[in-house]
Amino acid sequence: VQTCALPICSVWNHPIAMRMLDDGVAEGVVRADIEGVTCQIRMDFYNQPHGLIDLKTCAELKWFEYDCKKYGYINQLAFYRAVIREKVGVNVPVHIIAVEKVEPFSAGVWLIAPDALDQAEYVNNATLQRYKDCLDRDVWPTGYEAIRIIDSL
């Protein structure tokens, strides 16, 4: 066990994170066509038993699950999983290792449930279909063309 005051030390000292990052491919690039759109990802880390591993920083681990929703991490990782699936033929497990940005730099590991990734992939695919339609028609709506109403304080 290392002792140091850096976020990476907390990751290496975490018993599960340490094993997950022990062997695999860092910063791997994968390309595939999804919904007729050529896509590319750059994974933080990949290994056979644990699948896709993404590294994130956060203010506090106790709020990290909210950060996942706020920053769209589940959609990002569902997209990554879909690109990987196009290459390997199966869905792989998806994990996030999160570490706090301030001391004591606590680290934690999350497994993203396949059902949550499936839901996010459904949204992602609809977005890719709209993007492909925009490319094909060369029309790029903002989604704010109509008047909107603010009816509360």
Side-chain angles (χ1 to χ4, degrees), residues 95-146:
H95 294 84
I96 298 176
I97 298 173
V99 62
E100 292 177 342
K101 297 178 188 180
V102 296
E103 289 189 64
F105 304 117
S106 296
V109 177
W110 280 260
L111 170 67
I112 310 304
D115 287 347
L117 292 164
D118 292 345
Q119 291 171 29
E121 187 174 340
Y122 179 81
V123 172
N124 290 350
N125 287 346
T127 302
L128 283 169
Q129 290 170 3
R130 283 192 306 276
Y131 173 70
K132 184 156 182 358
D133 184 55
C134 290
L135 284 173
D136 293 344
R137 296 185 310 122
D138 196 28
V139 175
W140 301 88
T142 65
Y144 294 88
E145 286 74 21

Side-chain angles (χ1 to χ4, degrees), residues 33-113:
D33 284 351
I34 308 289
E35 296 294 327
V37 176
T38 301
C39 301
Q40 173 179 304
I41 63 169
R42 181 180 299 274
M43 305 173 287
D44 286 341
F45 203 81
Y46 181 86
N47 70 25
Q48 196 63 34
H50 302 292
L52 174 63
I53 302 163
D54 202 52
L55 301 166
K56 299 290 186 197
T57 59
C58 63
E60 294 180 69
L61 288 180
K62 70 180 177 181
W63 302 115
F64 183 70
E65 292 169 35
Y66 296 102
D67 288 351
C68 285
K69 295 173 186 172
K70 179 179 180 181
Y71 298 115
Y73 295 159
I74 307 307
N75 289 81
Q76 173 201 0
L77 295 172
F79 175 70
Y80 282 26
R81 183 187 73 159
V83 171
I84 293 168
R85 182 181 61 240
E86 286 298 311
K87 290 299 180 185
V88 301
V90 296
N91 280 327
V92 298
V94 177
H95 294 84
I96 298 176
I97 298 173
V99 62
E100 292 177 342
K101 297 178 188 180
V102 296
E103 289 189 64
F105 304 117
S106 296
V109 177
W110 280 260
L111 170 67
I112 310 304

Side-chain angles (χ1 to χ4, degrees), residues 1-3 6-22 53 55 61 95-100 104-111:
V1 173
Q2 298 173 336
T3 56
L6 296 173
I8 192 64
C9 294
S10 293
V11 172
W12 288 120
N13 286 332
H14 190 285
I16 297 169
M18 176 180 58
R19 284 195 314 275
M20 294 176 104
L21 299 173
D22 186 44
I53 302 163
L55 301 166
L61 288 180
H95 294 84
I96 298 176
I97 298 173
V99 62
E100 292 177 342
F105 304 117
S106 296
V109 177
W110 280 260
L111 170 67

